[in-house]
């Protein structure tokens, strides 16, 4: 059983909704990325999504694009991200880490080389935004070494295709609750609830919901029908400008604390 | 790569040209792309649609465009005859309208009242704004802030045509960033919006669809060659940024194995300086903007900023069909520097009375090189993809002239 599967099984057994924060690796500070990851866990993260900076993040909104630009300007690359995960694993053997990003950095690094290094570092899954199911043969070397490929599902996904995604899902299925970019504002809870209920009935894996979740209230609304909630842009925005490890930890705690409480109060 | 017999049968059903192309996009785009693919595959064989397209190409765009023997230029160069396919004479002054007219008709048939486009030099933006006005569609054009500065005339032209021009200030503030922004708009507003991509890049079906609409250039040229010269040219050349005018010229000739094809990429200040936009000549296979192709990136996989004197060639990727033709050995791709393009621009202006776009000037420079290698009875057919009026200020500024 993978670390991701174990974590979701434990959440289910405890009747809890998972909290999955997303941060861009190396933002706000490459030097304190490790501190940031531990702070996320201390504030109640069940899994961590670590964004691999990319120059052309087509599916992300301005907040995450700017975080990527800041990290790239500081020289952050895939090699750094893998090294940070390896160091994180020295202290935390249980919290699953998922790398989220785009195909080009992985292809240029080399698929096989990335697969080997990611597993060695203690990465559990990859969410490659621009690699839909149809192009997933590309990622076979990653799956072969045990990395779970997290797939996205969207409100625009047609029923026949959704069935395929539910069948192919590993780790968890990430339902993008809004047919737009990350950080977008609109969200109709009822619509999402209906779709997610349907997906949960068919998917072989748990369903996490993200895109547009920004605070305790919106997280709690989703917690009623999802296995986990993903929070990205709002957190990245909150961290922007933090300089010290302590400042980062304080901001993470202030932001995730109420969300964790709201999720657990259900 | 196995030997390829039929170069005109690509892409396959998955939108792949050998190892290139495909649909490398986020899940949210898969449904809109499926809808578009289905609609386009239906329309490309629909006689009524094709007749409507033909009517507009004839009466609105002004097709066919002539092939013109540039005698004085050829003589000056001293070598083979240089023929120019005069896409600069199309309505709006470039080949771009061949594609936008086609896609606007697809948008109309799909019932989408709003079109969006990205633009680099502004030519595709103008061509999109033009057809939007022609068909009564709302039009939003995304353009990098740097390009807006470089191409003020085209920006104003788009506004005159009723389009909203949205400056893009992220990343390098050029074409690739405009493309990212347009893609985001499409994902968000897909219900009523049609995204007109201006080049043979992006996810399937765009490389195929944009190629099909531009292929009229090569079909015409091939027939004109046979009719007027009784033979095919020895070599074709065209500039390659994304590669739409080049594939437009090449496609009809792909199975004519005796016809050589050379794409001219922007070598900027020289490929060895790193300041260029020659994705095929100096890049490596990767994934950008929804397709696998040759890209310019660093060892971390970050797409690098490109340089060319011509905004329309300033793109770090290239259409996947060109990547395929390169690897299959069917076409060659070489770099032409800023200086070489400018020299060709001036020479063409003075010997033939034609102001070529800076993009097309790269092709003219390459045609001159090729003509020198061939005997006098040889023929180089060069795609003069656009006119240079839009570049007059850029050239003046570069040469220290106050206009």
């Amino acid at each position: 059983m993978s670390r991701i599967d174990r974590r979701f099984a434990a959440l289910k057994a405890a009747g809890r909704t998972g909290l999955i924060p997303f941060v861009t690796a190396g933002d706000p500070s490459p030097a304190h990325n490790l501190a940031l990851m531990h702070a996320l866990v201390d504030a109640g993260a069940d899994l961590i999504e670590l964004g691999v900076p990319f120059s052309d993040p087509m599916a992300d909104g301005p907040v995450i694009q700017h975080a990527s630009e800041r990290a790239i300007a500081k020289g952050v690359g895939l090699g750094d991200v893998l090294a940070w995960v390896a160091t994180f694993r020295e202290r935390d053997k249980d919290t699953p880490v998922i790398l989220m990003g785009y195909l080009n950095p992985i292809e240029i690094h080399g698929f096989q080389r990335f697969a080997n290094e990611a597993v060695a570092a203690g990465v559990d899954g990859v969410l490659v935004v621009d690699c839909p199911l149809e192009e997933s043969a590309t990622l076979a070397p990653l799956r072969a070494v045990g990395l779970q490929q997290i797939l996205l599902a969207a409100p625009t996904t047609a029923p026949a295709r959704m069935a395929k995604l539910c069948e192919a899902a590993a780790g968890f299925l990430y339902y993008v609750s809004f047919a737009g970019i990350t950080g977008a504002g609109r969200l109709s809870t009822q619509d999402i609830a209906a779709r997610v209920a349907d997906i949960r009935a068919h998917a072989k894996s748990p369903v996490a919901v993200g895109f547009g979740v920004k605070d305790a209230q919106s997280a709690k609304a989703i917690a009623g029908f999802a296995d986990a909630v993903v929070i990205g842009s709002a957190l990245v925005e909150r961290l922007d400008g933090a300089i010290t490890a302590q400042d980062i930890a304080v901001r993470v705690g202030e932001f995730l604390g109420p969300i964790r409480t709201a999720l657990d109060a259900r | 790569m196995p030997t390829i017999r039929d170069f005109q049968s690509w892409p396959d059903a998955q939108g792949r040209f050998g190892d290139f192309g495909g649909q490398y996009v986020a899940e949210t785009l898969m449904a809109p792309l499926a809808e578009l693919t289905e609609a386009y595959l239906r329309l490309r064989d629909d006689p009524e649609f094709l007749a409507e397209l033909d009517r507009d190409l004839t009466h609105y765009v002004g097709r066919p465009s002539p092939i013109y023997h540039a005698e004085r230029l050829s003589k000056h160069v001293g070598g083979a005859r240089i023929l120019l396919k005069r896409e600069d004479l199309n309505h709006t002054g470039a080949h771009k309208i061949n594609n936008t007219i086609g896609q606007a008709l697809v948008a109309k048939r799909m019932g989408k009242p709003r079109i969006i486009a990205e633009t680099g030099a502004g030519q595709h933006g103008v061509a999109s704004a033009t057809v939007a006005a022609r068909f009564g569609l709302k039009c939003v054009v995304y353009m990098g802030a740097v390009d807006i500065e470089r191409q003020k005339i085209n920006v104003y032209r788009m506004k005159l045509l009723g389009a909203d021009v949205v400056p893009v200030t992220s990343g390098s503030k050029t074409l690739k960033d405009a493309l990212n922004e347009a893609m985001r708009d499409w994902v968000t507003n897909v219900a009523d919006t049609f995204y007109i991509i201006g080049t043979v890049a992006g996810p399937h079906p765009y490389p195929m669809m944009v190629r099909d609409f531009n292929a009229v250039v090569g079909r015409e040229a091939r027939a004109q060659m046979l009719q007027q010269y009784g033979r095919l040219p020895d070599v074709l050349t065209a500039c390659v940024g994304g590669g739409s005018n080049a594939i437009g010229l090449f496609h009809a000739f792909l199975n004519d194995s005796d016809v050589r094809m050379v794409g001219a990429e922007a070598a900027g200040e020289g490929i060895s300086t790193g300041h260029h936009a020659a994705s095929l000549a100096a890049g490596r296979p990767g994934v950008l903007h929804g397709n696998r192709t040759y890209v310019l990136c660093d060892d971390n996989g970050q797409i690098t900023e490109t340089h060319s004197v011509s905004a329309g060639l300033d793109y770090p990727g290239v259409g996947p069909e060109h990547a395929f033709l390169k690897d299959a050995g069917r076409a060659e791709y070489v770099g032409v520097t800023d200086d070489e393009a400018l020299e060709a621009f001036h020479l063409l202006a003075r010997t033939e009375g034609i102001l070529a776009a800076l993009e097309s000037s790269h092709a003219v420079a390459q045609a001159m090189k090729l003509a020198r290698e061939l005997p006098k009875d040889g023929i180089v057919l060069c795609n003069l993809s656009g006119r240079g009026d839009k570049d007059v200020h850029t050239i003046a500024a570069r040469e220290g002239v106050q206009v």
Side-chain angles (χ1 to χ4, degrees):
Chain A
M1 207 182 207
S2 77
R3 197 151 26 208
I4 298 173
D5 295 344
R6 280 202 304 274
R7 179 52 54 100
F8 273 102
L11 285 166
K12 191 176 180 185
R16 297 174 77 219
T17 305
L19 174 60
I20 311 180
F22 167 96
V23 291
T24 299
D27 184 73
S29 159
H32 301 311
N33 199 75
L34 184 65
L36 169 59
M37 291 176 75
H38 288 304
L40 294 172
V41 176
D42 293 343
D46 295 302
L47 294 84
I48 294 175
E49 257 190 39
L50 201 53
V52 179
F54 181 49
S55 52
D56 292 70
M58 259 187 347
D60 286 299
V63 170
I64 290 174
Q65 170 158 17
H66 290 144
S68 257
E69 284 168 6
R70 288 192 295 267
I72 291 167
K74 289 169 188 160
V76 175
L78 191 49
D80 301 303
V81 181
L82 292 170
W84 290 331
V85 176
T87 318
F88 172 78
R89 277 280 168 258
E90 290 171 8
R91 229 178 82 192
D92 189 323
K93 309 251 185 264
D94 302 317
T95 309
V97 175
I98 293 133
L99 298 189
M100 180 168 179
Y102 293 78
L103 204 47
N104 201 57
I106 299 177
E107 172 151 7
I108 297 303
H109 197 79
F111 288 110
Q112 193 59 55
R113 179 183 162 206
F114 170 79
N116 298 340
E117 291 178 7
V119 164
V123 172
D124 303 290
V126 288
L127 199 172
V128 185
V129 181
D130 55 354
C131 190
L133 189 58
E134 285 75 0
E135 306 291 358
S136 287
T138 315
L139 298 182
L142 279 60
R143 292 189 296 270
V145 295
L147 292 170
Q148 289 182 295
Q149 185 189 353
I150 311 301
L151 292 170
L152 291 163
T156 49
T157 305
R161 190 178 155 72
M162 189 66 87
K164 278 190 213 163
L165 293 174
C166 287
E167 179 62 31
F172 61 94
L173 192 60
Y174 184 164
Y175 184 72
V176 179
S177 63
F178 170 63
I181 52 178
T182 53
R186 288 175 272 165
L187 197 68
S188 156
T189 311
Q190 279 176 331
D191 290 351
I192 302 166
R195 287 301 293 272
V196 172
D198 187 47
I199 298 166
R200 283 179 85 192
H202 296 98
K204 285 163 74 179
S205 62
V207 178
V209 175
F211 278 47
V213 183
K214 59 181 188 301
D215 53 22
Q217 200 188 351
S218 47
K220 192 176 177 181
I222 283 172
F225 53 82
D227 296 298
V229 173
V230 183
I231 301 186
S233 300
L235 173 58
V236 169
E237 202 160 31
R238 180 66 72 95
L239 290 171
D240 183 17
I243 295 164
T244 65
Q246 195 196 354
D247 189 7
I248 289 170
V250 168
R251 292 195 200 193
V252 166
E254 283 176 0
F255 182 79
L256 288 186
I259 294 170
R260 178 78 265 173
T261 307
L263 292 180
D264 292 343
R266 286 180 49 242
Chain B
M1 185 177 281
T3 307
I4 290 153
R5 289 190 182 78
D6 184 1
F7 280 96
Q8 290 177 324
S9 64
W10 302 81
D12 65 16
Q14 280 74 49
R16 297 203 181 93
F17 301 87
D19 292 337
F20 302 102
Q23 286 184 323
Y24 292 89
V25 296
E27 177 62 26
T28 42
L29 276 177
M30 292 305 285
L33 287 171
E35 183 196 1
L36 175 60
T37 306
E38 197 198 317
Y40 176 63
L41 288 177
R42 196 160 21 84
L43 290 171
R44 85 193 289 213
D45 295 322
D46 177 347
E48 215 175 280
F49 173 81
L50 294 172
E52 190 177 1
L53 176 62
D54 264 355
R55 271 198 302 279
D56 262 26
L57 287 177
T58 305
H59 302 291
Y60 188 69
V61 176
R63 305 208 68 90
S65 68
I67 47 175
Y68 167 71
H69 179 195
E71 276 185 79
R72 286 186 12 94
L73 176 69
S74 304
K75 196 173 166 203
H76 180 96
V77 170
R81 288 169 282 178
I82 298 173
L83 307 188
L84 303 174
K85 178 64 173 163
R86 297 293 307 276
E87 290 298 297
D88 60 317
L89 296 179
N90 291 337
H91 178 45
T92 71
H95 72 287
K96 294 284 184 189
I97 190 110
N98 301 322
N99 167 50
T100 56
I101 257 290
Q103 289 198 51
L105 281 170
V106 175
K108 211 178 83 171
R109 299 272 176 140
M110 289 178 76
K112 311 268 184 188
R114 177 175 180 266
I115 61 170
I116 56 170
E118 85 295 335
T119 196
Q123 294 300 91
H124 173 58
V126 169
S128 298
T130 300
V131 297
R134 160 80 183 82
F135 294 112
L137 305 167
K138 186 175 160 38
C139 179
V140 176
V141 179
Y142 290 92
M143 189 167 183
V146 168
D147 289 338
I148 285 182
E149 192 50 41
R150 285 197 280 198
Q151 304 286 343
K152 285 178 191 159
I153 303 285
N154 270 343
V155 173
Y156 186 54
R157 207 170 271 153
M158 285 182 261
K159 287 179 180 166
L160 289 173
L161 290 161
D164 290 330
V165 180
V166 180
V168 177
T169 54
S170 55
S172 60
K173 306 178 181 63
T174 59
L175 179 59
K176 75 181 178 76
D177 308 288
L179 215 151
N180 288 334
E181 210 59 38
M183 204 68 96
R184 287 174 185 153
D185 181 316
W186 196 37
V187 174
T188 310
N189 301 300
V190 69
D192 72 342
T193 299
F194 187 100
Y195 179 18
I196 299 189
I197 290 186
T199 192
V200 284
H204 179 67
Y206 282 103
M208 171 180 77
M209 180 168 67
V210 178
R211 184 230 23 227
D212 288 351
F213 289 136
N214 273 304
V216 64
V217 176
R219 273 200 309 276
E220 271 178 22
R222 195 172 182 282
Q224 287 164 324
M225 285 302 305
L226 292 173
Q227 193 189 13
Q228 295 169 32
Y229 293 85
R231 55 167 286 199
L232 297 179
D234 296 291
V235 54
L236 307 175
T237 189
C239 63
V240 178
S244 67
N245 90 79
I247 207 74
L249 178 65
F250 293 176
H251 194 257
F253 296 90
L254 283 177
N255 288 336
D256 298 317
S257 54
D258 291 340
V259 179
R260 203 180 144 199
M261 301 176 184
V262 183
E265 292 192 295
E269 294 166 10
I271 287 178
S272 62
T273 66
H275 299 143
H276 62 82
S279 315
L280 288 164
R284 45 183 157 183
V287 174
L288 177 66
H289 294 145
N291 65 98
R292 163 163 284 111
T293 186
Y294 276 77
V295 300
L296 291 170
C297 67
D298 65 17
D299 290 340
N300 279 327
Q302 310 300 351
I303 304 302
T304 43
E305 293 190 13
T306 51
H307 167 83
S308 170
V309 68
S310 74
L313 301 184
D314 214 347
Y315 180 61
V318 63
E321 192 164 6
H322 287 296
F324 166 69
L325 294 175
K326 172 193 158 85
D327 278 14
R330 179 63 190 95
E332 306 148 59
Y333 297 88
V334 298
V336 170
T337 64
D338 289 349
D339 289 344
E340 289 171 326
L342 280 158
E343 191 192 326
F345 171 89
H346 285 300
L347 194 60
L348 185 68
R350 295 203 186 136
T351 56
E352 300 290 349
I354 296 171
L355 297 181
L358 281 175
E359 291 78 9
S360 320
S361 298
H362 288 71
V364 174
Q366 186 58 35
M368 288 160 53
K369 289 185 196 177
L370 292 165
R372 279 188 206 107
E373 297 167 6
L374 287 170
K376 288 220 180 319
D377 62 348
I379 295 179
V380 179
L381 177 59
C382 169
N383 198 3
L384 197 72
S385 56
R387 68 177 181 224
D389 308 49
K390 69 180 175 63
D391 295 315
V392 166
H393 283 88
T394 306
I395 293 162
R398 194 181 158 97
E399 296 176 352
V401 177
Q402 286 273 332
V403 181

